[in-house]
Amino acid sequence: MSPKKKTSRRTRGATATATRKRRMNKASRKKTAKRAARASTKETVRSAAKKPKGATRIIVFACSWYPSIAADNAGVVGLEYSADVRILTLACAGRLTPSLVLDAFGAGAAGVLVAACKPELCHHVNGSSICERTVAETRELAELLGIGAERVLLETFDSEKGEPFVESVESFRKRVGKLKPFVVEQ
Amino acid sequence: MSLEREVKETKAYNCVECGICTASCPVSRVNPDFSPRLMVEKLLLGSGMEIFSDRELWSCLTCRTCSVRCPSQVDYNEFTRAARVKARKAGFEGVDTHAGVLRSIMELQAKGFRPKAATWLDGGLKTAKQGHDFYFVGCLPYFDVVFTNIELKSTSIARSAVRLMNLAGIRPVVSENERCCGHDFYWSGNHEGFEKLAAFNLKLISGSKAKRVILTCPEGYHMFSEAYKARFGKLGFEVVHLTDVLLEKVKKGKLKLGRPSSALAEETLKVTLQDACRMGRMMGKTEEMRELLRLIPGVELVEMPRNRADAVCCGSSEWVSCTLCNKQIQLERLAESRDTGAKLLVTACPKCRIHLTCALYDKDRPIKIDIEDITSLLMDAAENGSGKGGKRRA
C-alpha cells in the first residue's frame, strides 16, 4: 500500500463531511467504471456485428461456462466452422438482455444464437432460466420489428466438448442463410 | 459548447430567482439534488459543460409544471430538451430504464427496420387499408411484451379504440408498418432519431390518403400537433385525440354510452382522473375527458386535489433514469387518488397506466386501487349502451 493511501486511511472519521465526500468520490468512480463497461459492451456488439457485403453474420452470445469452453475446445481439436460467426462471451447467460440482441441486428447481424448451459447445470443457479425468459421476450420483439423470431435461437449445452457447439452453430447459420432478408427501408 | 442560443430561446435571462420552479417540481420534492432554478443559474453563468455532465439533467420529467408556473415565462422544459441534445453530442447519456430495450426498439425503427406490429387486431374489428381516418397506435404492441413482468397488457387500449370507432361508425386505417412517434427520442435529446421516425411515419400516413389522424396516446398527440408541425411545416392532415371524436359523436347521439360493467353491481362507480402532462399542460386539453366521463351513466367523477394543469406527473418519462425518487412520486400520487375515495383511477395516457401499475406492483401492495385507461372504460360503457353488451372484449 502506498504511503499516501495510508494517511487517507488514518484520517477516516476525522470529519463527517470529509468522509461523505470521499464516499461520494468512490461512488462516482464506481459509476464511471460501470458506465464505461456498459459502453464497451455496446461497442463490442456493434463491432462484432459489422460484416462484409453479402456475408451472413451470426453473433453468438456464449455463457462463459460450458458453451464458451466448448468453443475453445473446438479450436483446440481443430474443428472448422464458418468465419461469419462471431462469439461474444457473457459472464453468465442470465446477463443477456433483449437490448443486446436487438442492437446486434441493428449493427448488421443476420442471426443471433444464444448459447447457455442447461438450466439444471447453471453455475449461477437461475441464470439460464432467466435467459430462457429473455430469449422468449426477444423473439416476440423480433417478430414485431419485422426481423422474425426464427433469427433468434437459444441452445443449451451440458458438456465442454467442441462438436455439439460447432454443430449447432453451423446448422443455425445454414438455416438463417436460407431465410428471406428482412426489410430495411431508407 | 456554449448555451447562448438556449438562453435566448428559453428566455432564461428573465429569471428572477424566485424559486417557484424548484418549489413546484415533483422531482425536487423527493430528490434535493435536482433543482431547476440551480440549473438556470448555471446556464446564466455560462458553464455549459457543468450542465451537460450533471447526472440530474436526465432526472427532469419534462412535465412542464415549472414552465407553466414561472412568473417570468422561462421555458425550462424546452431548455432541458435543448441541453440534452447538446449533452448527447458531448458524449453524455441518461441511464436507460428496462435495460435499454425500448431505446433499442426505437433505434431499429429509426434505422429503417419495417415493423409488423398489428398482431393485436382480431377478426371482429373493422379496419381499412386506405381511407379518411388513420388510427395511430404507437408503441402499444411493444409494451405488451416488455411489461409482461407487471402483468399488464396495453394492446387492449388499441382494440378498445378501434371497437369504439366502429361503434361510432368510423372504419379507421390501421397500418402494421407504423413506427414509434419519436416522442422519447425528441425529449431525450436524440434529434436525428426523432426526425427519421417522423419522416417514416409521415410517408406512411400520406400513402394511406388519410385526412385525419386519430390518436389515443397524449404523447403522440402532442408530437403530431406540435413537434411534427414545427419540424415539417403543414402536415396535410388533421390531428385529433380519440376523446374529441367520441365527445362529438356522443353529443350528436351517434354513440350511446351505458353503465360500464364494473358499475353494474353498485349504485355509482367513483372514478378519478390522472391528467397526462402532454394533454393537460402542453396541449391545454383537460375538459374533453372530464365531459366524457360525466356522460357515462353510473360513473361519478371525483377530483384529486391536484388536477388539470396542476396535476402531478406519473413520475417517469422517456425511458431514462427511473430511480427510487420516481417511485416515491408515483406512490404519493397513488395515495392521493386513493384518498379521494375513488375505486378506479382512470389514466389518459398508456404510459401513466404502466408507471402507476408498476408502482402498485410491490409485494406488499400498500395501496389498493384499480387502474384503467379511459379508452377501455369508454368502450365498456359504449358496448353496454349500444345494446350489444355481454360480449365483452379484452
Side-chain angles (χ1 to χ4, degrees):
Chain A
M1 198 180 281
S2 66
K4 206 179 166 194
K5 254 190 178 170
K6 257 186 188 166
T7 40
S8 78
R9 280 211 158 180
R10 218 172 287 147
T11 53
R12 178 172 290 179
T15 60
T17 347
T19 323
R20 201 163 58 236
K21 254 190 188 165
R22 204 159 46 238
R23 271 196 201 139
M24 273 165 77
N25 274 342
K26 208 174 166 190
S28 79
R29 261 210 306 282
K30 257 189 192 164
K31 240 164 232 158
T32 326
K34 216 174 159 188
R35 199 168 295 155
R38 189 163 46 225
S40 75
T41 324
K42 254 193 222 171
E43 238 0 271
T44 325
V45 172
R46 255 166 228 169
S47 64
K50 265 186 203 154
K51 52 158 190 175
K53 250 193 174 164
T56 318
R57 174 68 81 226
I58 302 288
I59 296 291
V60 182
F61 285 106
C63 167
S64 66
W65 294 85
Y66 284 119
S68 175
I69 299 168
D72 277 351
N73 284 342
V76 170
V77 295
L79 293 171
E80 268 187 35
Y81 57 95
S82 167
D84 291 341
V85 179
R86 291 286 179 279
I87 301 174
L88 299 175
T89 311
L90 301 173
C92 169
R95 158 70 176 90
L96 189 81
T97 59
S99 173
L100 281 179
V101 179
L102 295 180
D103 280 353
F105 284 113
V112 172
L113 178 73
V114 181
C117 308
K118 291 254 185 256
E120 61 273 19
L121 295 172
C122 180
H123 182 81
H124 299 280
V125 186
N126 59 355
S128 207
S129 26
I130 291 173
C131 178
E132 262 174 33
R133 282 205 299 276
T134 313
V135 170
E137 193 180 301
T138 314
R139 286 171 69 105
E140 277 182 60
L141 289 175
E143 197 63 43
L144 288 176
L145 283 163
I147 297 166
E150 63 278 10
R151 286 177 189 268
V152 184
L153 184 72
L154 172 70
E155 288 270 6
T156 50
F157 297 89
D158 57 358
S159 81
E160 291 165 359
K161 279 183 193 148
E163 285 90 352
F165 181 81
V166 169
E167 254 170 51
S168 57
V169 167
E170 271 299 277
S171 73
F172 180 64
R173 191 190 69 87
K174 271 182 202 147
R175 237 179 307 149
V176 170
K178 279 179 200 152
L179 295 173
K180 236 173 86 186
F182 47 78
V183 191
V184 180
E185 290 171 69
Q186 286 308 312
Chain B
M1 246 184 279
S2 93
L3 281 161
E4 253 170 63
R5 228 185 82 208
E6 281 70 22
V7 172
K8 267 188 197 149
E9 277 175 6
T10 61
K11 296 193 191 128
Y13 51 73
N14 277 346
C15 177
V16 290
E17 296 182 40
C18 65
I20 282 187
C21 45
T22 302
S24 308
C25 179
V27 182
S28 300
R29 190 176 286 263
V30 287
N31 175 11
D33 289 347
F34 178 76
S35 161
R37 180 171 76 154
L38 187 65
M39 209 65 112
V40 173
E41 288 308 301
K42 277 185 193 166
L43 169 69
L44 290 173
L45 291 171
S47 46
M49 235 20 208
E50 205 182 319
I51 290 177
F52 299 152
S53 58
D54 193 348
R55 198 163 59 118
E56 301 302 335
L57 177 62
W58 305 91
S59 301
C60 174
L61 302 168
T62 62
C63 73
R64 204 171 240 172
T65 316
C66 48
S67 307
V68 167
R69 293 188 185 169
C70 177
S72 316
Q73 279 88 45
V74 178
D75 194 350
Y76 183 75
N77 217 26
E78 188 51 34
F79 158 69
T80 305
R81 198 185 67 74
R84 282 177 183 178
V85 172
K86 288 205 165 165
R88 189 172 278 272
K89 277 187 189 140
F92 297 101
E93 264 183 52
V95 178
D96 293 322
T97 57
H98 310 101
V101 59
L102 291 144
R103 178 196 41 78
S104 294
I105 291 171
M106 294 186 280
E107 273 178 3
L108 287 193
Q109 292 181 344
K111 266 185 185 149
F113 282 58
R114 193 198 284 166
K116 285 181 192 162
T119 45
W120 51 271
L121 274 173
D122 62 24
L125 303 171
K126 284 181 222 133
T127 57
K129 286 254 181 272
Q130 285 190 338
H132 181 267
D133 297 298
F134 189 101
Y135 172 43
F136 194 87
V137 185
C139 321
L140 298 176
Y142 306 96
F143 292 166
D144 261 17
V145 183
V146 177
F147 297 104
T148 36
N149 62 335
I150 54 168
E151 297 169 27
L152 192 70
K153 289 282 171 205
S154 294
T155 48
S156 61
I157 299 172
R159 273 192 294 272
S160 305
V162 176
R163 181 100 182 103
L164 271 169
M165 283 187 245
N166 288 167
L167 285 173
I170 301 170
R171 201 189 173 110
V173 180
V174 174
S175 170
E176 61 169 12
N177 299 335
E178 72 168 52
R179 292 173 167 84
C180 160
C181 65
H183 170 275
D184 302 322
F185 272 174
Y186 183 75
W187 286 104
S188 60
N190 187 346
H191 218 263
E192 295 89 41
F194 152 70
E195 284 180 4
K196 274 184 197 157
L197 288 170
F200 277 129
N201 281 327
L202 290 177
K203 201 173 136 201
L204 182 77
I205 293 169
S206 72
S208 75
K209 304 208 167 65
K211 288 277 162 275
R212 185 165 72 161
V213 173
I214 304 175
L215 296 108
T216 41
C217 173
E219 295 191 340
Y221 179 54
H222 174 246
M223 285 316 277
F224 271 85
S225 2
E226 286 193 354
Y228 279 27
K229 274 183 192 159
R231 173 64 188 78
F232 297 95
K234 247 185 140 194
L235 293 180
F237 52 78
E238 197 191 340
V239 182
V240 287
H241 194 265
L242 182 66
T243 46
D244 294 344
V245 181
L246 294 179
L247 188 61
E248 200 190 308
K249 294 274 179 191
V250 173
K251 276 183 176 168
K252 279 186 187 164
K254 292 197 173 147
L255 182 73
K256 287 192 179 65
L257 299 174
R259 284 175 83 90
S261 36
S262 41
L264 285 178
E266 295 159 55
E267 222 149 73
T268 51
L269 176 71
K270 266 195 186 176
V271 301
T272 183
L273 181 70
Q274 161 74 16
D275 285 274
C277 311
R278 269 69 186 149
M279 206 66 184
R281 272 184 293 272
M282 295 200 184
M283 299 299 298
K285 285 174 105 68
T286 51
E287 297 314 310
E288 285 80 358
M289 293 192 178
R290 289 184 164 76
E291 226 177 314
L292 262 178
L293 284 175
R294 283 197 204 101
L295 285 170
I296 306 177
V299 167
E300 188 198 341
L301 178 67
V302 283
E303 294 287 359
M304 285 187 256
R306 296 178 282 180
N307 58 49
R308 295 185 172 88
D310 287 332
V312 186
C313 175
C314 67
S316 185
S317 112
E318 299 110 34
W319 311 121
V320 283
S321 54
C322 181
T323 61
L324 278 177
C325 300
N326 301 65
K327 186 111 177 170
Q328 191 59 36
I329 299 173
Q330 287 155 1
L331 287 174
E332 275 172 20
R333 187 60 169 167
L334 283 166
E336 195 177 329
S337 67
R338 176 201 56 195
D339 293 342
T340 58
K343 221 186 132 210
L344 182 69
L345 172 61
V346 179
T347 54
C349 175
K351 282 192 189 166
C352 293
R353 179 164 168 255
I354 290 168
H355 295 143
L356 294 173
T357 310
C358 175
L360 267 190
Y361 203 78
D362 262 347
K363 271 176 199 143
D364 45 349
R365 299 193 196 209
I367 301 164
K368 279 200 177 76
I369 190 163
D370 293 329
I371 303 174
E372 200 175 359
D373 194 87
I374 187 162
T375 318
S376 311
L377 181 70
L378 285 168
M379 203 271 302
D380 194 355
E383 283 221 314
N384 291 338
S386 61
K388 287 174 197 163
K391 252 201 289 174
R392 208 183 153 220
R393 230 172 268 280

